[in-house]
Amino acid sequence: MARILAIDYGKKRTGLAVTDMLQIVPGALDTVETPKLMAYLNDYVKRESVEKIVIGEPRQPNGMPSENMQRVQQFKAQWQKAHPDIPIVGYDERFTSVMAHQTMIDAGLHKKARQDKALTDRISATIILQSYMQGNL
């Protein structure tokens, strides 16, 4: 088996999460500056076996695409062109940032730690991955 990698794509920063090789446990991987994302992932898939990428599709609460959806679609197209052997699938990411913030509160993180946007991005990516695994594996 190979890993599943999840992306919480942002305008400035992108959170990443990945499963173990048996696709049982999701975990935070990293936060990357979005302009450097493709280079980071190219390097990662050279070192690690990745079966699939799940990218959060940003939607408004009413289900309509948010303003970031166009950037996500552009990245998906860029990835598919560069790596046709590693599929990239979209997954509804509504409320993952809220859930990530609540997770940090539940974990007892102090206010200063909860203001770390890179940490929020990693946790959001992990929530996307966990939700995807629960509904699709």
Side-chain angles (χ1 to χ4, degrees), residues 32-126:
V32 179
E33 294 175 29
T34 299
K36 298 177 182 178
L37 178 61
M38 185 60 92
Y40 180 97
L41 292 176
N42 287 337
D43 183 56
Y44 187 83
V45 299
K46 286 178 188 172
R47 293 180 285 117
E48 298 288 341
S49 180
V50 175
E51 175 180 310
K52 181 186 302 180
I53 294 182
V54 177
I55 188 165
E57 291 186 334
R59 297 189 180 277
Q60 297 173 21
N62 66 2
M64 296 297 295
S66 76
E67 58 89 22
N68 197 38
M69 181 68 93
Q70 183 178 357
R71 286 187 284 272
V72 168
Q73 295 299 341
Q74 289 171 345
F75 180 81
K76 282 174 67 175
Q78 182 184 10
W79 179 265
Q80 289 171 331
K81 186 176 180 182
H83 298 278
D85 55 322
I86 304 174
I88 184 167
V89 298
Y91 192 80
D92 187 349
E93 70 168 25
R94 276 181 283 183
F95 309 114
T96 55
S97 294
V98 173
M99 292 167 60
H101 187 71
Q102 187 60 50
T103 299
M104 290 188 285
I105 290 170
D106 293 346
L109 293 178
H110 297 287
K111 185 176 181 179
K112 185 165 179 109
R114 294 193 310 260
Q115 292 172 340
D116 180 355
K117 297 205 181 291
L119 176 59
T120 303
D121 293 337
R122 288 190 301 275
I123 293 172
S124 292
T126 306

